[in-house]
PDB file of all heavy atoms in Angstrom:
ATOM      1  N   LEU A1070      69.422  22.081  39.789  1.00 91.00           N
ATOM      2  CA  LEU A1070      68.405  21.195  39.226  1.00 91.00           C
ATOM      3  C   LEU A1070      67.072  21.395  39.917  1.00 91.00           C
ATOM      4  O   LEU A1070      67.020  21.633  41.130  1.00 91.00           O
ATOM      5  CB  LEU A1070      68.855  19.737  39.358  1.00 91.00           C
ATOM      6  CG  LEU A1070      70.099  19.369  38.554  1.00 91.00           C
ATOM      7  CD1 LEU A1070      70.767  18.138  39.123  1.00 91.00           C
ATOM      8  CD2 LEU A1070      69.738  19.151  37.089  1.00 91.00           C
ATOM      9  N   PHE A1071      66.008  21.245  39.142  1.00 92.00           N
ATOM     10  CA  PHE A1071      64.666  21.513  39.647  1.00 92.00           C
ATOM     11  C   PHE A1071      63.698  20.463  39.099  1.00 92.00           C
ATOM     12  O   PHE A1071      63.880  19.928  38.009  1.00 92.00           O
ATOM     13  CB  PHE A1071      64.168  22.889  39.171  1.00 92.00           C
ATOM     14  CG  PHE A1071      65.095  24.028  39.469  1.00 92.00           C
ATOM     15  CD1 PHE A1071      66.183  24.283  38.655  1.00 92.00           C
ATOM     16  CD2 PHE A1071      64.868  24.850  40.554  1.00 92.00           C
ATOM     17  CE1 PHE A1071      67.042  25.342  38.927  1.00 92.00           C
ATOM     18  CE2 PHE A1071      65.714  25.913  40.824  1.00 92.00           C
ATOM     19  CZ  PHE A1071      66.802  26.144  40.011  1.00 92.00           C
ATOM     20  N   TRP A1072      62.649  20.228  39.860  1.00 96.00           N
ATOM     21  CA  TRP A1072      61.489  19.509  39.372  1.00 96.00           C
ATOM     22  C   TRP A1072      60.252  20.395  39.586  1.00 96.00           C
ATOM     23  O   TRP A1072      60.041  20.925  40.678  1.00 96.00           O
ATOM     24  CB  TRP A1072      61.270  18.193  40.113  1.00 96.00           C
ATOM     25  CG  TRP A1072      62.042  17.046  39.550  1.00 96.00           C
ATOM     26  CD1 TRP A1072      63.225  16.517  40.003  1.00 96.00           C
ATOM     27  CD2 TRP A1072      61.688  16.242  38.416  1.00 96.00           C
ATOM     28  NE1 TRP A1072      63.626  15.462  39.230  1.00 96.00           N
ATOM     29  CE2 TRP A1072      62.700  15.268  38.254  1.00 96.00           C
ATOM     30  CE3 TRP A1072      60.608  16.243  37.523  1.00 96.00           C
ATOM     31  CZ2 TRP A1072      62.660  14.312  37.234  1.00 96.00           C
ATOM     32  CZ3 TRP A1072      60.568  15.305  36.515  1.00 96.00           C
ATOM     33  CH2 TRP A1072      61.582  14.352  36.373  1.00 96.00           C
ATOM     34  N   TYR A1073      59.469  20.521  38.495  1.00 95.00           N
ATOM     35  CA  TYR A1073      58.215  21.252  38.548  1.00 95.00           C
ATOM     36  C   TYR A1073      57.080  20.302  38.185  1.00 95.00           C
ATOM     37  O   TYR A1073      57.255  19.356  37.424  1.00 95.00           O
ATOM     38  CB  TYR A1073      58.213  22.408  37.541  1.00 95.00           C
ATOM     39  CG  TYR A1073      58.952  23.646  37.970  1.00 95.00           C
ATOM     40  CD1 TYR A1073      60.330  23.773  37.762  1.00 95.00           C
ATOM     41  CD2 TYR A1073      58.283  24.702  38.567  1.00 95.00           C
ATOM     42  CE1 TYR A1073      61.005  24.918  38.148  1.00 95.00           C
ATOM     43  CE2 TYR A1073      58.950  25.857  38.942  1.00 95.00           C
ATOM     44  CZ  TYR A1073      60.312  25.956  38.728  1.00 95.00           C
ATOM     45  OH  TYR A1073      60.973  27.088  39.112  1.00 95.00           O
ATOM     46  N   VAL A1074      55.877  20.619  38.689  1.00 96.00           N
ATOM     47  CA  VAL A1074      54.683  19.879  38.326  1.00 96.00           C
ATOM     48  C   VAL A1074      53.669  20.845  37.728  1.00 96.00           C
ATOM     49  O   VAL A1074      53.553  21.995  38.167  1.00 96.00           O
ATOM     50  CB  VAL A1074      54.088  19.133  39.543  1.00 96.00           C
ATOM     51  CG1 VAL A1074      53.683  20.098  40.652  1.00 96.00           C
ATOM     52  CG2 VAL A1074      52.910  18.269  39.125  1.00 96.00           C
ATOM     53  N   GLN A1075      52.982  20.372  36.705  1.00 93.00           N
ATOM     54  CA  GLN A1075      51.955  21.181  36.049  1.00 93.00           C
ATOM     55  C   GLN A1075      50.668  20.377  35.989  1.00 93.00           C
ATOM     56  O   GLN A1075      50.572  19.396  35.258  1.00 93.00           O
ATOM     57  CB  GLN A1075      52.399  21.584  34.647  1.00 93.00           C
ATOM     58  CG  GLN A1075      51.443  22.532  33.944  1.00 93.00           C
ATOM     59  CD  GLN A1075      51.952  22.952  32.571  1.00 93.00           C
ATOM     60  OE1 GLN A1075      52.576  22.175  31.860  1.00 93.00           O
ATOM     61  NE2 GLN A1075      51.693  24.200  32.182  1.00 93.00           N
ATOM     62  N   SER A1076      49.677  20.810  36.755  1.00 90.00           N
ATOM     63  CA  SER A1076      48.375  20.177  36.704  1.00 90.00           C
ATOM     64  C   SER A1076      47.565  20.807  35.575  1.00 90.00           C
ATOM     65  O   SER A1076      47.848  21.943  35.177  1.00 90.00           O
ATOM     66  CB  SER A1076      47.653  20.351  38.039  1.00 90.00           C
ATOM     67  OG  SER A1076      48.394  19.734  39.073  1.00 90.00           O
ATOM     68  N   PRO A1077      46.572  20.098  35.056  1.00 82.00           N
ATOM     69  CA  PRO A1077      45.801  20.619  33.924  1.00 82.00           C
ATOM     70  C   PRO A1077      45.265  22.023  34.173  1.00 82.00           C
ATOM     71  O   PRO A1077      44.635  22.291  35.191  1.00 82.00           O
ATOM     72  CB  PRO A1077      44.657  19.601  33.790  1.00 82.00           C
ATOM     73  CG  PRO A1077      45.234  18.330  34.323  1.00 82.00           C
ATOM     74  CD  PRO A1077      46.142  18.749  35.449  1.00 82.00           C
ATOM     75  N   GLY A1078      45.558  22.930  33.263  1.00 75.00           N
ATOM     76  CA  GLY A1078      45.071  24.295  33.370  1.00 75.00           C
ATOM     77  C   GLY A1078      45.776  25.146  34.401  1.00 75.00           C
ATOM     78  O   GLY A1078      45.379  26.287  34.641  1.00 75.00           O
ATOM     79  N   GLN A1079      46.813  24.604  34.986  1.00 78.00           N
ATOM     80  CA  GLN A1079      47.539  25.334  36.035  1.00 78.00           C
ATOM     81  C   GLN A1079      48.937  25.703  35.572  1.00 78.00           C
ATOM     82  O   GLN A1079      49.481  25.111  34.639  1.00 78.00           O
ATOM     83  CB  GLN A1079      47.639  24.467  37.304  1.00 78.00           C
ATOM     84  CG  GLN A1079      46.310  23.995  37.849  1.00 78.00           C
ATOM     85  CD  GLN A1079      45.451  25.146  38.315  1.00 78.00           C
ATOM     86  OE1 GLN A1079      45.905  26.044  39.027  1.00 78.00           O
ATOM     87  NE2 GLN A1079      44.198  25.138  37.922  1.00 78.00           N
ATOM     88  N   GLY A1080      49.497  26.671  36.252  1.00 81.00           N
ATOM     89  CA  GLY A1080      50.889  26.998  35.998  1.00 81.00           C
ATOM     90  C   GLY A1080      51.801  25.973  36.640  1.00 81.00           C
ATOM     91  O   GLY A1080      51.352  25.048  37.322  1.00 81.00           O
ATOM     92  N   LEU A1081      53.091  26.118  36.428  1.00 89.00           N
ATOM     93  CA  LEU A1081      54.048  25.201  37.016  1.00 89.00           C
ATOM     94  C   LEU A1081      54.260  25.515  38.495  1.00 89.00           C
ATOM     95  O   LEU A1081      54.324  26.683  38.884  1.00 89.00           O
ATOM     96  CB  LEU A1081      55.395  25.309  36.295  1.00 89.00           C
ATOM     97  CG  LEU A1081      55.516  24.526  34.998  1.00 89.00           C
ATOM     98  CD1 LEU A1081      54.805  25.257  33.882  1.00 89.00           C
ATOM     99  CD2 LEU A1081      56.977  24.306  34.641  1.00 89.00           C
ATOM    100  N   GLN A1082      54.398  24.463  39.264  1.00 92.00           N
ATOM    101  CA  GLN A1082      54.666  24.611  40.691  1.00 92.00           C
ATOM    102  C   GLN A1082      55.970  23.896  41.017  1.00 92.00           C
ATOM    103  O   GLN A1082      56.178  22.742  40.613  1.00 92.00           O
ATOM    104  CB  GLN A1082      53.522  24.017  41.515  1.00 92.00           C
ATOM    105  CG  GLN A1082      53.712  24.150  43.020  1.00 92.00           C
ATOM    106  CD  GLN A1082      52.588  23.525  43.803  1.00 92.00           C
ATOM    107  OE1 GLN A1082      51.872  22.647  43.321  1.00 92.00           O
ATOM    108  NE2 GLN A1082      52.408  23.962  45.040  1.00 92.00           N
ATOM    109  N   LEU A1083      56.841  24.561  41.747  1.00 91.00           N
ATOM    110  CA  LEU A1083      58.126  23.968  42.116  1.00 91.00           C
ATOM    111  C   LEU A1083      57.923  22.867  43.152  1.00 91.00           C
ATOM    112  O   LEU A1083      57.304  23.097  44.191  1.00 91.00           O
ATOM    113  CB  LEU A1083      59.051  25.052  42.673  1.00 91.00           C
ATOM    114  CG  LEU A1083      60.440  24.582  43.094  1.00 91.00           C
ATOM    115  CD1 LEU A1083      61.248  24.143  41.889  1.00 91.00           C
ATOM    116  CD2 LEU A1083      61.173  25.695  43.842  1.00 91.00           C
ATOM    117  N   LEU A1084      58.419  21.668  42.857  1.00 95.00           N
ATOM    118  CA  LEU A1084      58.364  20.555  43.805  1.00 95.00           C
ATOM    119  C   LEU A1084      59.594  20.534  44.709  1.00 95.00           C
ATOM    120  O   LEU A1084      59.473  20.333  45.920  1.00 95.00           O
ATOM    121  CB  LEU A1084      58.289  19.223  43.062  1.00 95.00           C
ATOM    122  CG  LEU A1084      56.959  18.846  42.411  1.00 95.00           C
ATOM    123  CD1 LEU A1084      57.133  17.557  41.613  1.00 95.00           C
ATOM    124  CD2 LEU A1084      55.855  18.707  43.441  1.00 95.00           C
ATOM    125  N   LEU A1085      60.748  20.690  44.105  1.00 94.00           N
ATOM    126  CA  LEU A1085      61.996  20.653  44.860  1.00 94.00           C
ATOM    127  C   LEU A1085      63.129  21.137  43.988  1.00 94.00           C
ATOM    128  O   LEU A1085      62.977  21.279  42.772  1.00 94.00           O
ATOM    129  CB  LEU A1085      62.286  19.240  45.385  1.00 94.00           C
ATOM    130  CG  LEU A1085      62.154  18.066  44.398  1.00 94.00           C
ATOM    131  CD1 LEU A1085      63.328  17.956  43.468  1.00 94.00           C
ATOM    132  CD2 LEU A1085      61.963  16.755  45.170  1.00 94.00           C
ATOM    133  N   LYS A1086      64.270  21.380  44.624  1.00 91.00           N
ATOM    134  CA  LYS A1086      65.428  21.889  43.907  1.00 91.00           C
ATOM    135  C   LYS A1086      66.707  21.360  44.556  1.00 91.00           C
ATOM    136  O   LYS A1086      66.729  21.021  45.737  1.00 91.00           O
ATOM    137  CB  LYS A1086      65.448  23.412  43.918  1.00 91.00           C
ATOM    138  CG  LYS A1086      65.515  24.018  45.318  1.00 91.00           C
ATOM    139  CD  LYS A1086      65.392  25.513  45.261  1.00 91.00           C
ATOM    140  CE  LYS A1086      65.555  26.127  46.651  1.00 91.00           C
ATOM    141  NZ  LYS A1086      64.391  25.854  47.509  1.00 91.00           N
ATOM    142  N   TYR A1087      67.756  21.295  43.766  1.00 90.00           N
ATOM    143  CA  TYR A1087      69.075  20.928  44.261  1.00 90.00           C
ATOM    144  C   TYR A1087      70.077  21.969  43.804  1.00 90.00           C
ATOM    145  O   TYR A1087      70.203  22.238  42.606  1.00 90.00           O
ATOM    146  CB  TYR A1087      69.500  19.547  43.753  1.00 90.00           C
ATOM    147  CG  TYR A1087      70.931  19.235  44.097  1.00 90.00           C
ATOM    148  CD1 TYR A1087      71.274  18.825  45.381  1.00 90.00           C
ATOM    149  CD2 TYR A1087      71.950  19.387  43.161  1.00 90.00           C
ATOM    150  CE1 TYR A1087      72.596  18.566  45.711  1.00 90.00           C
ATOM    151  CE2 TYR A1087      73.262  19.123  43.485  1.00 90.00           C
ATOM    152  CZ  TYR A1087      73.584  18.725  44.755  1.00 90.00           C
ATOM    153  OH  TYR A1087      74.883  18.463  45.093  1.00 90.00           O
ATOM    154  N   PHE A1088      70.798  22.519  44.779  1.00 85.00           N
ATOM    155  CA  PHE A1088      71.864  23.464  44.445  1.00 85.00           C
ATOM    156  C   PHE A1088      73.215  22.885  44.837  1.00 85.00           C
ATOM    157  O   PHE A1088      74.176  22.955  44.080  1.00 85.00           O
ATOM    158  CB  PHE A1088      71.654  24.798  45.172  1.00 85.00           C
ATOM    159  CG  PHE A1088      70.597  25.673  44.567  1.00 85.00           C
ATOM    160  CD1 PHE A1088      69.836  25.261  43.493  1.00 85.00           C
ATOM    161  CD2 PHE A1088      70.346  26.937  45.074  1.00 85.00           C
ATOM    162  CE1 PHE A1088      68.857  26.064  42.921  1.00 85.00           C
ATOM    163  CE2 PHE A1088      69.366  27.757  44.518  1.00 85.00           C
ATOM    164  CZ  PHE A1088      68.631  27.325  43.448  1.00 85.00           C
ATOM    165  N   SER A1089      73.303  22.322  46.032  1.00 83.00           N
ATOM    166  CA  SER A1089      74.559  21.750  46.518  1.00 83.00           C
ATOM    167  C   SER A1089      74.252  20.988  47.797  1.00 83.00           C
ATOM    168  O   SER A1089      73.127  21.004  48.294  1.00 83.00           O
ATOM    169  CB  SER A1089      75.597  22.844  46.788  1.00 83.00           C
ATOM    170  OG  SER A1089      75.168  23.693  47.832  1.00 83.00           O
ATOM    171  N   GLY A1090      75.274  20.318  48.344  1.00 85.00           N
ATOM    172  CA  GLY A1090      75.119  19.648  49.623  1.00 85.00           C
ATOM    173  C   GLY A1090      74.522  18.261  49.484  1.00 85.00           C
ATOM    174  O   GLY A1090      74.823  17.520  48.539  1.00 85.00           O
ATOM    175  N   ASP A1091      73.660  17.910  50.413  1.00 87.00           N
ATOM    176  CA  ASP A1091      73.050  16.593  50.457  1.00 87.00           C
ATOM    177  C   ASP A1091      72.405  16.272  49.115  1.00 87.00           C
ATOM    178  O   ASP A1091      71.586  17.042  48.609  1.00 87.00           O
ATOM    179  CB  ASP A1091      72.002  16.541  51.567  1.00 87.00           C
ATOM    180  CG  ASP A1091      71.534  15.118  51.868  1.00 87.00           C
ATOM    181  OD1 ASP A1091      71.810  14.212  51.056  1.00 87.00           O
ATOM    182  OD2 ASP A1091      70.884  14.931  52.902  1.00 87.00           O
ATOM    183  N   THR A1092      72.775  15.126  48.569  1.00 90.00           N
ATOM    184  CA  THR A1092      72.298  14.794  47.221  1.00 90.00           C
ATOM    185  C   THR A1092      70.865  14.272  47.201  1.00 90.00           C
ATOM    186  O   THR A1092      70.287  14.117  46.130  1.00 90.00           O
ATOM    187  CB  THR A1092      73.219  13.758  46.571  1.00 90.00           C
ATOM    188  OG1 THR A1092      73.295  12.600  47.423  1.00 90.00           O
ATOM    189  CG2 THR A1092      74.619  14.322  46.373  1.00 90.00           C
ATOM    190  N   LEU A1093      70.302  13.977  48.347  1.00 95.00           N
ATOM    191  CA  LEU A1093      68.898  13.571  48.432  1.00 95.00           C
ATOM    192  C   LEU A1093      68.122  14.757  48.962  1.00 95.00           C
ATOM    193  O   LEU A1093      68.340  15.213  50.081  1.00 95.00           O
ATOM    194  CB  LEU A1093      68.748  12.354  49.351  1.00 95.00           C
ATOM    195  CG  LEU A1093      67.335  11.780  49.461  1.00 95.00           C
ATOM    196  CD1 LEU A1093      66.864  11.244  48.111  1.00 95.00           C
ATOM    197  CD2 LEU A1093      67.283  10.686  50.515  1.00 95.00           C
ATOM    198  N   VAL A1094      67.228  15.279  48.146  1.00 96.00           N
ATOM    199  CA  VAL A1094      66.471  16.459  48.532  1.00 96.00           C
ATOM    200  C   VAL A1094      64.992  16.113  48.687  1.00 96.00           C
ATOM    201  O   VAL A1094      64.445  15.314  47.926  1.00 96.00           O
ATOM    202  CB  VAL A1094      66.648  17.607  47.520  1.00 96.00           C
ATOM    203  CG1 VAL A1094      68.072  18.108  47.527  1.00 96.00           C
ATOM    204  CG2 VAL A1094      66.263  17.181  46.126  1.00 96.00           C
ATOM    205  N   GLN A1095      64.402  16.723  49.674  1.00 96.00           N
ATOM    206  CA  GLN A1095      62.983  16.514  49.943  1.00 96.00           C
ATOM    207  C   GLN A1095      62.195  17.696  49.395  1.00 96.00           C
ATOM    208  O   GLN A1095      62.653  18.844  49.446  1.00 96.00           O
ATOM    209  CB  GLN A1095      62.749  16.388  51.444  1.00 96.00           C
ATOM    210  CG  GLN A1095      63.532  15.258  52.109  1.00 96.00           C
ATOM    211  CD  GLN A1095      63.127  13.878  51.584  1.00 96.00           C
ATOM    212  OE1 GLN A1095      61.950  13.618  51.352  1.00 96.00           O
ATOM    213  NE2 GLN A1095      64.116  13.011  51.391  1.00 96.00           N
TER     214      GLN A1095
END
Side-chain angles (χ1 to χ4, degrees):
Chain A
L1070 295 158
F1071 307 81
W1072 274 99
Y1073 280 86
V1074 61
Q1075 185 178 35
S1076 299
Q1079 304 296 313
L1081 278 78
Q1082 181 181 23
L1083 180 67
L1084 285 175
L1085 48 78
K1086 60 186 184 288
Y1087 172 78
F1088 283 4
S1089 64
D1091 192 346
T1092 56
L1093 183 64
V1094 294
Q1095 302 297 320

